[in-house]
Amino acid sequence: MKAYRARLLRFDDNTGAPLYDEDGLLVVGPDANGRAVVRAVGAYGALAERFAGVAIEHLPGRLIAPGFIDLHVHYPQTEMIGSPADGLLPWLEHYTFPQETRFADPAHARQVAEVFFDELMRHGVTTALTFATSHPASVDAAFEAARERRLRFVTGKVLQDRHSPDGVRDETGQSLADTEALIRRWHGVDRLGYAITPRFAPTSTPAQLRGAGELAARFPDVWIQSHVAENRDEVRWVAELFPDSRSYLGVYEDFGLLRERAVYAHCIHLDDTDRLLMAERGAAAAISPTSNLFLGSGFFDYDGARRTGLRHGLASDVGGGTSFSPFATMLAAYGVAREGATKPGLTLQPSNLWWQHTAGAAQAMGLGGVVGNLTPGHEADFVVLDPAATPLLARRTAQAETLEEFLFALIVLGDDRAVIRTVVDGR
Ligand code: GUN
Ligand code: ZN
């Protein structure tokens, strides 16, 4: 066992309300299966005696918080961040598909996967739900690199058998056989999980979507990830391609792709029928504010999500997104929540933004109680933050009078310099 004495942030498992100790103790040790988990957490004064025999690392002034969860990101797009385009569809055609074509080469995939995981961990991200490319070797490369780092990590081979150029387009039958083989090879190995990954409705034939839905039914604890209702031109295109479906979201419903552990990126241009259907099925929205601002896609409707009980969490969506930093994503989400807010809302609270990127994201992924929080039993993934990492951050956080002010100062002024350690699986 090992203990850390510092400022400690975590969340109530039921309400999501922040729990905080200015002088806290986090005790980490093996559970019955030998996995490193949180054994105890609370005020130092209340726990010190009970854990008197345990080595304590004292980190005065530092903040320990749950490792961040990136609910939607594309590792093959790491090196194309900031590619300017008129909107989603030209961006895919001019930058994304050519970039992803290079992942047919396993050596290239492995090299970019290394850079990607180094970036995630430098920014305090310890779990990610991630797109690979349509090449099965791109999935192997990511899983191998994640496994070496002991990360809890989910990815999958992109399915795209139409409206895609040579080099990324796959073939219906082979793509489904590859998906099943990858599920059998990787799902549940160490901390890894597989996600069935149709790119988005326009780039899959009905046959491919049907096959994906059949796999999702046969492997019910495997994840599903895709994009929905991101951009108005895309929404119009889907309506032309699938005239019989009630809506864009309805396409996924029609092919059996709405269930627990299904995470859809963007969810901007939905109506309440869509939101209620997602909520009822246990599907979740990955909110990608820096991407939506960069590509001019629109604003996630927080009021709509709250009104309908739609589960949601935060995501970088790199390379549409402009930063791996959870601080940048939380700040952009604040702007989005302000834009749409009809009244001062929960989502404007710094602690709630933080929850959306940790415990809330874990719940959206179906990993509540496993990662994203530091209450007892959670896996030992956490960050050590320095609230005085820069001169301005030091001066600002020193003046914070409440937890919300303190967290907001970190969200607004913090970046990778504030992440002084990322602990994964207790190490
Ligand atoms: N829709 C289909 N593919 C993509 C992608 O790679 N990024 C984003 N942001 N939207 C998509
Ligand atoms: Zn995306």
Side-chain angles (χ1 to χ4, degrees), residues 72-74 77 131 227 230 265-266 317:
H72 176 83
V73 57
H74 300 250
Q77 297 174 14
F131 269 53
H227 300 90
E230 174 177 4
H266 308 293
D317 193 30

Side-chain angles (χ1 to χ4, degrees), residues 245-259:
S245 290
R246 194 200 70 82
S247 65
Y248 188 165
L249 184 84
V251 175
Y252 298 125
E253 157 76 353
D254 293 346
F255 289 103
L257 292 165
L258 278 192
R259 61 152 166 74

